[in-house]
Every structure is written in structure tokens, then in C-alpha cells.
Amino acid sequence: MDQQEKIKLLQRIVQMETVNDHESLVADYLATLFQPYPNVEMTRVRYKSGRDNLVVTIGTDHHRQLGFAGHMDVVATGDPQKWDHAPFSGDITDDFKMVGRGASDMKAGLAAMVIAALELLDQGEPQHGQIKLICTIAEESTMVGSEQLTKEGYLDDLDALVICEGSGLDISYTHNGDIDYRVTSHGKAAHSASPEMGVNAIENLMTFWHTAKAELAKFDETDAVLGNLLHNVTVIKGGEQINSIPAEADLEANIRLIPQTPAKVVKQRLEAVIATLNQQPGFELDLEYLLVGDALPGDQNGDFVQFVKRETEAEVGHEVTLSGDKGTTDGSKFIDSKGDFPMVIVGPGSNTAHQVNEYVDLNQYLKAIELYKNISLKFLEGDN
Ligand SMILES: [Zn+2]
């Protein structure tokens, strides 16, 4: 594929509006690219209409299996007027950048892994082992795509996974997890002159918050790279009128997990707080999870991390940094798979993800394609 075609392919998927939905547009298009090749198995894993995950398995020899993962959804654009180019234009600037929502997070990584696989197929590769491309939905919202693929066993046979998120071709090998939750407090309305006739939903909600904050603060371990567990209330609503005892209130809060605090354990603690309070008179609290994903543990001296570092440095021509990341990825779900495989995050992208004028440097995008090809060939030959 020549350079122009590689850029066109990326532009085409940037132009597909997959804001928290409609990922099938991308999945369908990517599937057509692999259609001409034998030895390619494609599986669409439907979440619901318009939202298909896509898994592409290349090669028939079961020697080793290397995965590449990319999500097909993007976040909202914000006010399009604030962009210098239309957010879904995929315009190319004079300094060889492509602008568009998702250019960096992470359609460049997605396109690069797809093109790397197509070019390997054109060369008659892989002769040893398999490459598996895992294209997910809903990474930016609920991660139901990666959750579904994990549960259905699509990652069980992997020996290693590259998550192609835009990292500026630096490397992350560990990241925080996330629990987003909502608590609704049900009370009973009354005139504020006779509060004893009602149940104050806001006061009960505040009691919950202070108790939960104190309880979760007991998770006081520190991860050398990711720091401590964080727990913040970020949305709160309740009450209708200043002279009425509020009948309902709710809050939303975010917990940033570290590998030492598995989601399962933290959820149990939160549920215990709710259960204890609900035994007290007047309390009626409901807990709902909006997102749950574990932290990704990692070892910067691990073989796969070091292998990817060497290959990346050879491609970019300078030393790359190894770091932990505050943001989560689909890796938060993938670690629940039966397989025990290392994951590394490396992909083309700038620090403009989720912002206006998001862009990717096209030279970096083209380098990522070469990088993914080299990683594939060397890993599958067992040369690391
Ligand atoms: Zn992303």
C-alpha cells in the first residue's frame, strides 16, 4: 500500500461519526479490506444493532498468537465552532497532521494495526503463528465491547497484546482502573416546618458519602507508579424546593483504582457501606455501577515490554519512555480473560485526545505501521 493509500484509509475512518455509537460503520469497512485474503477469519460480535465488535484472525499456524487492540468509538466533539477544521473532516494540514475527532484517540492506531496486517498478508506472512486484531466498541463509555469479547473468550489464546492507543509512540505498561457509580437516596417529602413527617434524602446521601469516603480511604496502599486509590464525588443532585424536605437525591462518584485494589474488593466495600446504612431507619439507598474496569498491572522489566521498547526505539530512532498511565483502556477488561498475557500500550497520537483540534502527526502514523509489522514478525518467530 503506498503512503497516499495509507493516509486515505485513516481519513476514511476518521470521517465515520462513531461518537459512542455506530461503530459498525468502521467494522464493516475494515472487514471489506480483509475480504480478498484466504487464511483470514473474521467475526463480527454484535452488541446491538449498529454496534459490532470485529475480530480478525490471520494465519492458521497455532505456534504463537499476538493481538492488537483498538477501539472504533470516539468521544463527542464539543462545540464544532471551536475547531479550526470540521471535526469529522480528516483534513490534512500543511505540516502533515490529520485533524479530526478520533485522529489520535485512536483511529490512527486502529488504521495502523489494520494496514500492518494487510501488508503482512501481501508478503505472505505470517508464516508462523497468528495475528489477532481486536476492534472494540464503547471503550470511551462503558467498555461493554471489550467486556463482551473477554467473556466470550476471544482473548484466551493470546500470548501478548499491543493496545494501539495514541501514546505518541512512547510506551505505557500499567494504568489505573476505574469505578464510576451512582447512589440514589430515597426519602419522603414533607413541609420543612415539620421535618419529622418526612425523610431527608439529601442528609442520608451526605451520610453515605462521608461514610464511603472514610471507608475507602482505608485502602491506603501506594503503587510505585500509579500512586494511591482516588475517590471523588463529581455530580450531585437533589431537592426541589427550599421549604420542602427532599424526597430524592443522587450522587455520582469516580474511583481510580490501582493494581493493589481490585475492582471486586472495592465494590464489596462500597456495597457493605450501603447495606449497613440501609439497616438504619429511614435509609433507602440504591447503588448502580456505570463503569467498572480494573487497573492494569505491569512490569517495566518484563520481556514483552522490553521487546516492544527495543522495536519502538529502532523505529523512531530515539529512546522512548516507559510509564504508567492515569487513563484506562480496554486492557481493564482484557485482564479478566482466561489467558495470562502481557499487554503494552503503544500507538500514534498526540496529547490532543478528547480536545478540540485533535490531530495525529502523519509521520508518526506511518512509523506505527512499520513498528506493528516488525513487532508481529519478530514476536511470531519467537525472536525476543
Ligand atoms: Zn482511546
Side-chain angles (χ1 to χ4, degrees), residues 155-160 297 334-343:
L155 289 95
D156 289 356
D157 296 331
L158 288 184
D159 292 295
F334 294 150
I335 63 167
D336 291 335
S337 89
K338 287 198 193 79
D340 180 20
F341 51 87
M343 289 184 240

Side-chain angles (χ1 to χ4, degrees), residues 291-341:
L291 171 69
V292 178
D294 269 305
L296 186 71
D299 171 10
Q300 65 166 319
N301 298 314
D303 289 347
F304 188 64
V305 174
Q306 289 294 325
F307 160 66
V308 172
K309 181 172 188 278
R310 282 195 302 277
E311 290 305 313
T312 307
E313 287 175 344
E315 189 56 47
V316 299
H318 58 78
E319 203 178 327
V320 302
T321 61
L322 288 179
S323 63
D325 203 333
K326 291 278 167 202
T328 56
T329 69
D330 277 330
S332 289
K333 296 293 183 187
F334 294 150
I335 63 167
D336 291 335
S337 89
K338 287 198 193 79
D340 180 20
F341 51 87

Side-chain angles (χ1 to χ4, degrees), residues 71 105-106 139-140 165:
H71 63 82
D105 184 10
M106 60 166 288
E139 191 271 348
E140 299 284 6
E165 285 275 5

Side-chain angles (χ1 to χ4, degrees), residues 137-186:
I137 66 156
E139 191 271 348
E140 299 284 6
S141 51
T142 56
M143 296 192 187
V144 287
S146 47
E147 183 176 16
Q148 182 181 16
L149 294 178
T150 302
K151 278 188 181 153
E152 295 183 16
Y154 286 96
L155 289 95
D156 289 356
D157 296 331
L158 288 184
D159 292 295
L161 178 67
V162 178
I163 299 178
C164 306
E165 285 275 5
S167 65
L169 293 185
D170 281 319
I171 295 173
S172 286
Y173 61 92
T174 179
H175 66 61
N176 288 95
D178 231 326
I179 297 178
D180 290 340
Y181 70 88
R182 178 188 295 131
V183 171
T184 306
S185 168
H186 305 279

Side-chain angles (χ1 to χ4, degrees), residues 188-196 198-201 241-247:
K188 184 167 178 265
H191 197 290
S192 60
S194 312
E196 72 284 359
V199 173
N200 192 321
Q241 178 161 325
I242 198 160
N243 59 352
S244 294
I245 296 298

